[in-house]
Amino acid sequence: METTTVKESGFLDSVEVSKENQNVLHPLSSRQMGLWIYQQKHPKSNLYNICSSFLIKSQLNLKEIANIARKVCDLHPAFRTRFTLYRGVPKQQILPKWPGEISVHSRDESLCVTEQLSALNRIPFNDSDGLYCRVNIVTCPDNHFIVQYSVHHILGDAKTGGIVGDAL
């Protein structure tokens, strides 16, 4: 069986993100509104943080892994969604590109991998930027990386991890 890597396929090089509707504010669904209100009342809460993590064994370097992780965020509108108040009413805006920062962490050998990833996922989202998606990369020995996508439930559910996995 022949395999092709994401980099070799050129898949992510051909991604074009539509800039239409980038200034349009969309209403929140009733489910999103409930989650948004909860988050405003409990800004330090991580109750609705969900994550998907992927072990990448590759000859790619950290910069290339981060570039792929960013492009995956650019692919899905939910990851590019910013929540904001417009005339006192919460709205969502789909941005043309994910504006978030990728955090890089060294593997903490004093913790098991799941403990380290759980600790990273428990960090509350910063409401000041209105983004509810973040990416952590944990660097491991032997040129291995763990890429973790954490999102607030306001953006996604368990199926979100499958979307990310398919894109990787």
Side-chain angles (χ1 to χ4, degrees):
M1 182 172 101
E2 187 176 322
T3 61
T4 303
T5 66
V6 171
K7 185 176 181 182
E8 292 168 343
S9 73
F11 170 74
L12 293 175
D13 295 332
S14 64
V15 173
E16 289 185 29
V17 179
S18 172
K19 292 188 178 183
E20 66 184 34
N21 296 330
Q22 68 181 355
N23 294 320
V24 175
L25 298 176
H26 304 279
L28 277 62
S29 70
S30 58
R31 181 187 73 81
Q32 287 177 310
M33 182 65 80
L35 291 167
W36 185 86
I37 290 169
Y38 178 87
Q39 193 64 34
Q40 299 310 301
K41 289 184 176 186
H42 308 281
K44 300 291 185 203
S45 174
N46 58 25
L47 181 63
Y48 289 104
N49 293 12
I50 54 177
C51 73
S52 296
S53 301
F54 303 90
L55 175 63
I56 310 292
K57 297 178 180 180
S58 173
Q59 295 304 310
L60 299 176
N61 63 37
L62 176 60
K63 184 177 179 181
E64 292 169 315
I65 295 291
N67 186 41
I68 290 170
R70 178 172 294 284
K71 286 184 179 184
V72 168
C73 286
D74 288 343
L75 282 173
H76 199 290
F79 297 148
R80 297 181 278 118
T81 300
R82 177 188 310 264
F83 289 79
T84 187
L85 283 176
Y86 179 73
R87 297 183 180 168
V89 177
K91 299 285 184 177
Q92 54 187 325
Q93 176 184 26
I94 300 171
L95 304 171
K97 293 207 175 273
W98 180 69
E101 294 295 322
I102 294 176
S103 298
V104 178
H105 310 270
S106 296
R107 174 75 182 91
D108 183 346
E109 297 296 333
S110 70
L111 301 171
C112 74
V113 172
T114 55
E115 288 173 327
Q116 184 173 4
L117 294 173
S118 292
L120 291 171
N121 188 54
R122 284 192 303 268
I123 298 169
F125 285 95
N126 177 0
D127 284 333
S128 66
D129 63 12
L131 296 174
Y132 290 99
C133 173
R134 70 171 161 256
V135 177
N136 294 302
I137 297 178
V138 178
T139 59
C140 303
D142 300 324
N143 209 37
H144 293 168
F145 304 91
I146 301 171
V147 180
Q148 180 191 57
Y149 292 85
S150 291
V151 298
H152 191 284
H153 193 48
I154 198 170
L155 293 180
D157 54 25
K159 290 185 179 184
T160 305
I163 292 168
V164 173
D166 290 346
L168 286 174

